[in-house]
Amino acid sequence: MTAPRALQPPNFPGGVQVVQALEPTVAFYRFLYHEVGHHWAWTDRTMLDDAALSTLITDPRIEIHVLWVNGVPAGFVELDLRPSPELEIAYFGLMRPFIGRGLGRLFLSWAIDRAWSHPISRLTVHTCTLDHPNALDNYKRRGFEVYRVVQELW
């Protein structure tokens, strides 16, 4: 995405809010990462030891925002400003019990709005065939365009 799109601001239902984790602990981050990503074969951050992960998630150029539903964490988005002036949605997703409620499109719209609140020239996100079957469609419906396709063998 090379320019902000005219998205309708997300209107979260009652009891739903997004809160930035300003001082995320390694344990809390690992909980979020596992609960959102283990169904989709997320492994990158599991390879990091606690010290390396702590350095990463407390970097001021990394933002972690948690979606809460009635006081319970339901998902998270990690915005990475390190490739400035670009911004990457490094991780985005919902925990299994919250999938299928329409929260993914609302939360992604919120994340895109948040990303474009920074002075960036491009917003990127990566997905793959191991992600939720609706992930790519959700990204496209929010204004992302396919930029590059790579085939990797595992």
Side-chain angles (χ1 to χ4, degrees):
M1 188 180 291
T2 56
R5 302 290 193 242
L7 295 172
Q8 183 172 339
N11 186 16
F12 289 113
V16 178
Q17 63 180 335
V18 179
V19 177
Q20 184 173 358
L22 295 172
E23 296 180 21
T25 64
V26 167
F28 184 60
Y29 183 87
R30 287 195 190 284
F31 163 76
L32 293 172
Y33 188 87
H34 174 78
E35 289 302 311
V36 171
H38 78 279
H39 295 289
W40 317 115
W42 291 8
T43 58
D44 295 354
R45 297 293 168 80
T46 63
M47 308 294 182
L48 299 176
D49 65 27
D50 286 356
L53 184 57
S54 179
T55 298
L56 182 70
I57 64 175
T58 58
D59 185 314
R61 299 166 298 170
I62 301 285
E63 291 184 5
I64 298 165
H65 299 274
V66 182
L67 180 71
W68 295 84
V69 176
N70 297 321
V72 176
F76 83 105
V77 62
E78 181 178 324
L79 304 178
D80 186 350
L81 282 150
R82 291 175 303 165
S84 184
E86 296 185 5
L87 188 149
E88 177 185 359
I89 296 176
Y91 294 97
F92 171 84
L94 301 176
M95 295 177 189
R96 268 260 165 97
F98 299 95
I99 294 173
R101 298 185 187 185
L103 294 170
R105 66 180 168 75
L106 294 173
F107 190 30
L108 182 58
S109 294
W110 182 93
I112 291 168
D113 285 347
R114 174 66 185 169
W116 283 106
S117 73
H118 296 283
I120 60 172
S121 62
R122 186 168 98 152
L123 175 61
T124 62
V125 65
H126 297 90
T127 190
C128 71
T129 55
L130 297 175
D131 282 340
H132 189 281
N134 296 336
L136 181 59
D137 187 53
N138 191 18
Y139 296 135
K140 287 180 175 180
R141 287 179 185 260
R142 303 299 149 256
F144 283 97
E145 296 177 17
V146 174
Y147 175 74
R148 184 171 53 142
V149 176
V150 177
Q151 183 176 7
E152 295 178 354
L153 300 175
W154 282 37

